[in-house]
Amino acid sequence: MRGRMWKLAIYVFLLGFIINLLGIVSHVMVSAFAKRWFGKPLPPAFTTDWFSYAWTNFELGQVLLITLFIAFTVVFVALLIGFPAAYILARRNFRAKPLLLLLYFLPLLIPQMTYGIPLATTLYKLGIGASVAGVILAVLVPMVPLAVFILLPFFEQISLNLEWSASMLGASRLQIFRRVLLPLMVPGILTAGLLVLVNTISNFELAFLLAGGGSQTLVVALYYNVFAGGVRPVYSIDAMAVIYMVMVLSVLLVALRFVRPTQMVFRLDQPRR
Amino acid sequence: MARAQTDERSELDLVAIACLVPSLLYVVLMFVYPFLYGLYASLQPPKGGAWSIANYLAFFSDPYQYRTIETTFALAIPNSVVVVLAALFLAYGMRRGIWMERTITTILVLPISLGVIFLSEGILGFYGTNGWLNQMLIGAGILAEPLELTHNFIGVTLSLFMQQFPFCFLMLLGYISGIDPSLESSARMLGAGPWTVFRRVMLPLIAPGLIIAFALVFVMSFAVFPSAVMVGQPAGSTRTISIAAYQQAFEQYDMSYASAIAVIMGVCQLLALIAIVLVRRRMTIATTMGVGKR
């Protein structure tokens, strides 16, 4: 009897959470398609005009292009320098390793707002603030460690015997990398790439602190337009939010085909098991 | 198992160093150096000339500024407690799997990907004075006046909950499913009821994970910025310390003072983490963790 009550309580909680999430998401969606909407449960008439309004008035084409450029550059660089580091951290033992892992873990642990302000100060001082390069450099700070910690367990799953056998059969280091490691690491690279992509697109704090007029990502542009409110109809802002959601969710749906979220966090929590 | 695969060579050869250097250099140049530079800049106020703690004195003698610490703690502590308890409740209930687990987990994780701005915009619409919730409650005759759920403390708490709950839930679920299930069944066989099993067997095993989760959630909520601005009252009741730092940096253009506030923010987070670690030390840490997953 008491067990039943518990089960019920869990389902009630889940239901509450789902209704709440559904309410939040669908309110934005309905509002994006509303002609005029005030004080009624549903708008009296629907329209798709706000999307074209948002597209022209917020220069969304430009913003999307910048967002994708920043996101893909960050993914590329994070993988490029994270991949070899993850390999060494997975394969070798050395005295400074715990220290190194802690150093890589700190940018993920410390909130971005805390180190974002000194980082922004430094970058502005060097003259690369308020630019696309500045945003990329800042967002990479948590993304390089993220890529390392996602790739690490994937390397650990590849048996060292494969590398030994390959080198015994006369393969050079480059050949081992190209013919053995790289093909086996494809799932890991995809996972890390997609998660870095989602995290970069939805990153607010660092992109916000470093953004200038021509380097706003979609989220940052969304934020600024919320505060330009009054001038901007709320429906057009919600239309922009819907475009953002569609973009993030499509990447995420692809990502979920490769990753089991529970597994990911468990490994991140205790990387040296 | 993964451990046995590690290469026995312990020295770092040239290739290994070449592999590590780019990322290490990046973290040092873009993370460690700005931190040190921020500390240095905070001690070099534009007017004071040489080394001076004028910025820190200014912060702690101005109630408008130092109150932000109080506000932030008042926001972060209850929020972390609620998030961790809710996540513990759900993760514990789901430890042996439930109906449609994969779908439910996906739904619970969804808010992470939506991002702060989207969530805040939706919260304004759904929970706002004219939002669906208030319309429903008034329509059903439960309320006469709409509830004030946004542009105050409650709004920020809602937004923080939606962002942090999924993260905390995943962590605890991973942690709890790593506990050997035979411990629970042994306790059951020896006659312990569900409450006793939780209180005497499971809770001591979960406690370390619970404390880590609490620490992470706390540190994240302590730096709250966009939610405090969008669904809070940034000029009044939810003026958190990160808003103070942001205003100094990008509205007053006083980078030195802003760095000082960022340092104070970091120190507060650090102190809270140390306090949490000390609490953890005092608890007996069970050593049977993770048997189930090995």
Side-chain angles (χ1 to χ4, degrees):
Chain A
M1 188 61 214
R2 239 163 118 200
R4 282 254 180 87
M5 290 293 283
W6 267 106
K7 264 233 145 85
L8 193 70
I10 285 166
Y11 281 112
V12 167
F13 181 90
L14 277 174
L15 196 72
F17 190 89
I18 291 170
I19 289 176
N20 158 61
L21 183 64
L22 218 65
I24 289 174
V25 173
S26 52
H27 194 280
V28 176
M29 299 205 33
V30 171
S31 171
F33 289 101
K35 205 156 200 165
R36 281 275 173 277
W37 188 17
F38 198 77
K40 296 266 164 45
L42 280 175
F46 291 94
T47 173
T48 52
D49 289 351
W50 296 119
F51 285 90
S52 46
Y53 178 94
W55 191 267
T56 45
N57 280 279
F58 303 150
E59 293 169 343
L60 275 193
Q62 181 68 18
V63 171
L64 274 179
L65 219 64
I66 289 172
T67 309
L68 288 176
F69 175 73
I70 289 174
F72 281 106
T73 314
V74 167
V75 169
F76 179 74
V77 179
L79 286 179
L80 191 72
I81 65 180
F83 189 89
Y87 174 74
I88 298 301
L89 289 172
R91 287 288 194 243
R92 304 289 172 87
N93 272 321
F94 46 94
R95 208 180 292 159
K97 193 153 116 179
L99 193 75
L100 220 59
L101 284 170
L102 180 70
L103 189 64
Y104 283 142
F105 193 56
L106 280 179
L108 296 173
L109 176 72
I110 297 177
Q112 296 179 359
M113 209 57 200
T114 311
Y115 65 79
I117 285 177
L119 178 62
T121 312
T122 314
L123 288 178
Y124 277 104
K125 190 125 198 157
L126 295 174
I128 28 182
S131 68
V132 173
V135 176
I136 291 172
L137 284 175
V139 174
L140 269 172
V141 173
M143 293 310 158
V144 171
L146 185 68
V148 170
F149 280 112
I150 294 171
L151 290 171
L152 203 70
F154 281 95
F155 273 121
E156 283 175 345
Q157 281 162 17
I158 298 175
S159 169
L160 198 57
N161 291 335
L162 288 175
E163 280 176 60
W164 281 338
S165 323
S167 80
M168 230 169 63
L169 293 170
S172 69
R173 271 194 158 140
L174 197 70
Q175 277 174 318
I176 295 176
F177 171 74
R178 253 183 48 77
R179 309 291 287 273
V180 180
L181 277 177
L182 211 54
L184 285 172
M185 277 303 284
V186 168
I189 293 173
L190 273 176
T191 307
L194 285 167
L195 287 180
V196 169
L197 190 68
V198 174
N199 271 300
T200 306
I201 294 175
S202 60
N203 181 292
F204 175 74
E205 277 93 343
L206 293 173
F208 172 66
L209 289 175
L210 268 303
S215 60
Q216 289 181 1
T217 61
L218 192 52
V219 201
V220 178
L222 189 58
Y223 177 85
Y224 277 120
N225 281 310
V226 170
F227 285 98
V231 200
R232 307 290 194 202
V234 67
Y235 319 105
S236 64
I237 293 166
D238 287 335
M240 191 167 169
V242 169
I243 294 174
Y244 163 76
M245 186 187 75
V246 169
M247 189 164 151
V248 174
L249 282 191
S250 39
V251 181
L252 197 79
L253 282 182
V254 179
L256 277 175
R257 297 194 68 92
F258 298 98
V259 205
R260 263 190 57 208
T262 350
Q263 208 175 18
M264 219 52 249
V265 174
F266 192 65
R267 304 234 47 154
L268 271 182
D269 180 27
Q270 295 163 333
R272 297 303 315 149
R273 287 172 65 85
Chain B
M1 211 177 80
R3 196 139 185 82
Q5 292 289 342
T6 316
D7 201 331
E8 285 309 311
R9 281 173 296 171
S10 67
E11 77 275 15
L12 284 169
D13 53 24
L14 265 178
V15 178
I17 291 173
C19 284
L20 280 175
V21 158
S23 58
L24 191 60
L25 210 61
Y26 199 86
V27 175
V28 169
L29 278 183
M30 301 301 285
F31 181 74
V32 179
Y33 170 72
F35 242 131
L36 297 178
Y37 179 77
L39 193 63
Y40 166 81
S42 74
L43 293 167
Q44 298 271 337
K47 285 178 277 251
W51 297 87
S52 134
I53 54 165
N55 284 323
Y56 295 92
L57 290 178
F59 183 88
F60 284 106
S61 57
D62 183 359
Y64 185 59
Q65 302 289 23
Y66 71 71
R67 287 251 170 80
T68 55
I69 295 184
E70 207 180 302
T71 308
T72 317
F73 269 108
L75 203 61
I77 291 176
N79 177 67
S80 320
V81 172
V82 170
V83 167
V84 170
L85 286 184
L88 173 67
F89 167 70
L90 198 61
Y92 190 74
M94 284 174 72
R95 70 190 180 283
R96 276 168 311 203
I98 60 166
W99 177 68
M100 301 224 312
E101 183 171 345
R102 187 94 196 246
T103 320
I104 288 174
T105 317
T106 310
I107 293 173
L108 290 174
V109 178
L110 215 59
I112 295 183
S113 66
L114 290 178
V116 207
I117 309 297
F118 187 97
L119 281 176
S120 301
E121 187 69 13
I123 286 172
L124 285 180
F126 185 71
Y127 289 100
T129 335
N130 252 315
W132 274 346
L133 188 74
N134 273 318
Q135 284 181 21
M136 223 155 62
L137 291 176
I138 293 172
I142 300 170
L143 286 178
E145 289 287 303
L147 291 170
E148 295 275 342
L149 295 175
T150 53
H151 295 300
N152 56 19
F153 238 70
I154 304 171
V156 182
T157 311
L158 273 171
S159 172
L160 281 178
F161 182 85
M162 293 301 288
Q163 291 164 58
Q164 294 166 348
F165 175 78
F167 176 78
C168 186
F169 164 74
L170 278 186
M171 229 180 102
L172 287 182
L173 187 64
Y175 208 81
I176 292 174
S177 43
I179 293 173
D180 189 349
S182 63
L183 289 172
E184 194 183 341
S185 28
S186 317
R188 280 293 180 95
M189 225 165 62
L190 294 169
W195 172 246
T196 318
V197 169
F198 174 71
R199 178 70 195 75
R200 306 294 292 275
V201 180
M202 298 299 273
L203 191 61
L205 289 171
I206 303 169
L210 212 57
I211 291 168
I212 295 172
F214 184 85
L216 290 179
V217 172
F218 176 83
V219 167
M220 278 199 290
S221 0
F222 200 85
V224 53
F225 177 74
S227 340
V229 177
M230 285 184 73
V231 283
Q233 202 186 357
S237 68
T238 67
R239 187 171 184 272
T240 58
I241 190 164
S242 46
I243 296 180
Y246 173 78
Q247 283 176 342
Q248 283 306 325
F250 295 96
E251 284 167 21
Q252 312 290 329
Y253 295 104
D254 188 345
M255 289 298 188
S256 171
Y257 196 176
S259 301
I261 300 179
V263 169
I264 292 168
M265 181 157 66
V267 168
C268 285
Q269 289 161 359
L270 198 71
L271 286 180
L273 281 181
I274 290 172
I276 292 164
V277 170
L278 286 181
V279 169
R280 186 182 167 174
R281 272 240 186 114
R282 295 193 49 184
M283 297 169 74
T284 43
I285 305 295
T287 47
T288 34
M289 261 310 296
V291 185
K293 271 260 164 98
R294 252 174 220 167

